[in-house]
């Protein structure tokens, strides 16, 4: 099993990675869990998809950042205001 890189070590996600079905499927799983308030262990999720773990991890960083900022300003991500 490959260790997850620290958040500061991530490389930018390429457009090709965003179009990778494995990346999209993994992100959809994560977002679906967030939508129902279920937690997903990030390390477990990335370990299940080692071939795209760096790309998924970078995307998860952005999703987490969006949720953090939204929470701080009192907005629910995905809601229409």
């Amino acid at each position: 099993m490959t260790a997850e890189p620290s958040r500061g070590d991530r490389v930018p996600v390429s457009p090709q990675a965003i179009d990778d079905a494995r990346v999209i499927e993994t992100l959809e799983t994560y977002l679906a869990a967030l939508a129902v308030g279920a937690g997903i262990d990030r390390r477990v999720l990335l370990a299940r998809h080692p071939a795209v773990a760096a790309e998924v991890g970078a995307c998860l960083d952005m999703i987490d950042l969006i949720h953090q900022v939204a929470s701080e300003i009192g907005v629910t991500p995905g809601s229409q205001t």
Side-chain angles (χ1 to χ4, degrees):
M1 178 193 307
T2 315
E4 176 187 359
S6 68
R7 290 180 183 211
D9 294 341
R10 295 210 198 283
V11 294
V13 178
S14 71
Q16 295 83 5
I18 297 298
D19 290 336
D20 187 316
R22 299 168 299 173
V23 173
I24 293 167
E25 180 181 331
T26 305
L27 294 174
E28 286 176 345
T29 298
Y30 186 79
L31 290 170
L34 281 179
V36 297
I40 290 186
D41 185 320
R42 179 187 181 108
R43 289 176 293 170
V44 171
L45 183 67
L46 295 176
R48 287 183 189 151
H49 307 280
V52 292
E55 293 84 354
V56 171
C59 292
L60 294 180
D61 287 345
M62 292 300 106
I63 291 169
D64 292 345
L65 178 63
I66 290 166
H67 279 264
Q68 177 185 351
V69 170
S71 175
E72 290 173 4
I73 63 173
V75 175
T76 303
S79 67
Q80 296 181 8
T81 53

